[in-house]
Amino acid sequence: MKGGKETLLYSLKRQVTKLACSTRLYSWSLGNVAPDVVCCPDDLWPGNAEHGRWICQGAFLFDGQSIPMDGNFWEHGAQNDATYGFIHNFQWLRDLRANGGSQNRQKARELIEDWIDKHAMWDERSWHIGIIGRRIANWLIHYSYYAESADDAFQAKLINSINRQGRHLSRIMPTNGKGFDLLSAAHGLTYAGIALSGRESWLDQGLQILKKELPEQILSDGGHVSRSPHQTLRILRICFELNAALAKAGYPVPPLIQHTIDRMIPALRFFRHADKKLAIFNGTLENTESMIESVLAKADARIRIPKSLYASGFERVTHGRALMILDTGNVPPRPFDQSVHVAPLSFEFSYGRERIFVNCGAHASDPEWQSMLRATAAHNCLVMDDRNAFDIAEDGHLGRRGGNVKARRINHEDGTLIETEHHGYEPLNGLVH
């Protein structure tokens, strides 16, 4: 009941925000000034030069598909949150930069200016707080690449837009955000507070939200509350980026950020097979090898991989070159259950760099595939009567909850025994697995 009330309250807040922000008066209140840029954060991660070449030729590459820049291409994928978010958060600036050259730099300016001209006023999709946060961050970390050599008119238009989006974030956070989107919004607001003169209050506000959200979302063993290895990787990247940005600007780094990094690094290592890709639990894609390597390169390589993530609910067993990762966790609380997979006691097994038993994983963009791949049958685990172990409601949250997953690990000199059970099928079938 509590989760339902919280969801209703969040929905009401979104409706109020929509009514208030969609007026010309609100747009006017965001101002039209361009503060000085005092310090831009650096980009820590590699781009894909091939993807950059495609952009220069008039198409984005996302999830193995080409998205042509024709007509009002900003609305491509409007019915698909992942595709729409990719286009509007400008993470592909990294690819243009990786490709290098003045043509790529000019293309970046053209696309940014076109976006600003078409999205000067608030709208619910392109001004979603998570997308704004990522867009501000991406615009600022690549500022020296595409903007420093641009004319004064472009720079003024760019900084004015960042200032308007930052002011909007400052007004509506944290009451209109949750989960990873709220962390992304706080990340972007913090970057704007670092980069723009006179906006130090945004830096303080962003850090306060992060200080509250990181302990709530990152569990004691370093895993994310959603129980997704992918989310663990994404938030670890944010923490590294904030650490570097604050240090570059001469601000003290909150100990919480470094402590969070120290907890999350062993958790990320925990989820890697010998092929250096992630185990594909709870919305994770395995094709993130280069990014994982880039993140772990910034960590202490001597950190040992834990055998268990008790808070997250996973066990890891190795013997020689054999590796098994077993899901022994319960369903996470709302809103973090919206992408969790219905797969109690599922496992993955590999030998050396070869994956032998794997889950089906997730789909980067297609909502129908995302829904199907959450099903119990898409995992290495017991399925009864072709039913899911838990029900998935229309809104993506879990309905009927089996819960009560139990696990006991016994380590011997010559092997490991893990005794597990779950009650997902007990309400309908009267059986405990």
Side-chain angles (χ1 to χ4, degrees):
M1 182 64 70
K2 181 181 178 182
K5 289 181 178 179
E6 289 177 349
T7 301
L8 178 59
L9 181 60
Y10 179 73
S11 178
L12 289 173
K13 287 178 179 178
R14 285 188 61 184
Q15 291 302 317
V16 171
T17 300
K18 183 176 180 178
L19 290 172
C21 296
S22 58
T23 65
R24 291 192 175 276
L25 179 62
Y26 182 78
S27 181
W28 172 83
S29 73
L30 294 176
N32 285 291
V33 296
D36 293 332
V37 176
V38 293
C39 180
C40 281
D42 295 323
D43 186 22
L44 305 183
W45 319 115
N48 187 314
E50 176 64 20
H51 288 196
R53 283 191 287 273
W54 274 79
I55 295 172
C56 266
Q57 293 168 9
F60 297 110
L61 281 184
F62 178 66
D63 188 28
Q65 297 181 348
S66 171
I67 306 172
M69 298 178 188
D70 54 5
N72 187 13
F73 65 87
W74 297 112
E75 296 309 311
H76 287 338
Q79 305 305 316
N80 184 312
D81 289 343
T83 303
Y84 189 88
F86 166 79
I87 294 173
H88 284 264
N89 68 26
F90 284 77
Q91 70 184 57
W92 38 264
L93 285 173
R94 181 175 291 118
D95 300 329
L96 281 173
R97 187 171 191 168
N99 197 31
S102 59
Q103 182 183 4
N104 290 270
R105 185 178 291 108
Q106 183 58 37
K107 189 68 174 180
R109 294 173 188 162
E110 291 173 0
L111 290 171
I112 290 172
E113 188 164 21
D114 188 59
W115 186 94
I116 294 172
D117 290 340
K118 289 182 170 66
H119 300 87
M121 287 186 61
W122 180 92
D123 71 77
E124 191 172 20
R125 294 297 300 282
S126 65
W127 283 58
H128 181 275
I129 68 165
I131 294 178
I132 291 178
R134 290 187 281 277
R135 181 165 55 241
I136 288 176
N138 286 318
W139 281 3
L140 288 174
I141 61 178
H142 300 292
Y143 182 87
S144 62
Y145 166 65
Y146 69 85
E148 283 187 347
S149 58
D151 58 41
D152 292 343
F154 173 82
Q155 291 184 12
K157 179 181 282 190
L158 169 70
I159 300 305
N160 175 46
S161 181
I162 293 175
N163 187 65
R164 287 168 58 83
Q165 293 176 68
R167 181 165 288 147
H168 172 70
L169 283 183
S170 178
R171 287 176 178 176
I172 69 170
M173 288 203 308
T175 58
N176 284 275
K178 57 184 180 180
F180 181 76
D181 284 331
L182 182 54
L183 288 179
S184 294
H187 179 207
L189 189 65
T190 301
Y191 269 22
I194 290 173
L196 304 184
S197 62
R199 301 296 181 264
E200 292 80 7
S201 63
W202 294 352
L203 168 61
D204 293 337
Q205 183 182 0
L207 290 178
Q208 288 304 313
I209 294 171
L210 289 162
K211 288 177 181 178
K212 177 180 180 298
E213 283 297 312
L214 285 175
E216 292 187 5
Q217 294 195 35
I218 304 304
L219 303 174
S220 58
D221 57 19
H224 188 252
V225 65
S226 67
R227 308 187 60 248
S228 168
H230 176 63
Q231 291 293 67
T232 300
L233 174 63
R234 294 174 81 188
I235 293 175
L236 186 54
R237 287 178 60 185
I238 286 179
C239 290
F240 271 122
E241 290 166 7
L242 288 166
N243 206 338
L246 290 167
K248 179 180 179 180
Y251 291 104
V253 178
L256 172 66
I257 294 179
Q258 186 58 54
H259 293 163
T260 302
I261 290 174
D262 293 341
R263 290 207 316 276
M264 295 183 77
I265 287 294
L268 184 63
R269 291 187 187 277
F270 177 98
F271 287 116
R272 282 215 304 176
H273 285 278
D275 63 3
K276 301 188 182 300
K277 299 177 183 178
L278 292 176
I280 44 182
F281 294 97
N282 297 321
T284 299
L285 302 169
E286 69 172 31
N287 57 344
T288 50
E289 180 181 0
S290 61
M291 182 53 67
I292 298 170
E293 287 296 301
S294 298
V295 170
L296 292 180
K298 300 183 180 302
D300 187 347
R302 296 169 297 177
I303 296 177
R304 296 183 63 182
I305 300 174
K307 295 179 179 179
S308 302
L309 295 183
Y310 294 110
S312 299
F314 288 95
E315 297 289 340
R316 180 185 174 101
V317 183
T318 59
H319 185 77
R321 299 179 66 195
L323 164 65
M324 181 182 72
I325 301 176
L326 174 66
D327 182 344
T328 59
N330 285 291
V331 175
R334 287 186 176 228
F336 302 104
D337 64 339
Q338 200 162 21
S339 61
V340 72
H341 289 196
V342 187
L345 306 186
S346 63
F347 71 95
E348 294 201 342
F349 178 84
S350 60
Y351 187 82
R353 295 180 64 87
E354 299 297 326
R355 298 191 182 210
I356 310 300
F357 296 104
V358 295
N359 298 318
C360 288
H363 197 283
S365 60
D366 190 303
E368 186 175 356
W369 270 106
Q370 289 168 352
S371 178
M372 288 191 291
L373 292 172
R374 294 179 65 189
T376 308
H379 300 79
N380 291 308
C381 58
L382 178 71
V383 182
M384 296 190 65
D385 292 342
D386 294 324
R387 290 171 168 166
N388 285 331
F390 315 139
D391 287 338
I392 302 176
E394 289 186 4
D395 62 0
H397 293 288
L398 296 191
R400 172 178 58 86
R401 302 200 170 215
N404 201 22
V405 180
K406 298 178 182 179
R408 185 167 73 103
R409 179 176 182 136
I410 303 171
N411 294 311
H412 297 286
E413 290 184 2
D414 56 348
T416 299
L417 172 67
I418 301 177
E419 296 178 341
T420 63
E421 68 178 60
H422 82 77
H423 295 245
Y425 289 110
E426 189 173 22
L428 294 179
N429 298 86
L431 298 174
V432 174
H433 171 40

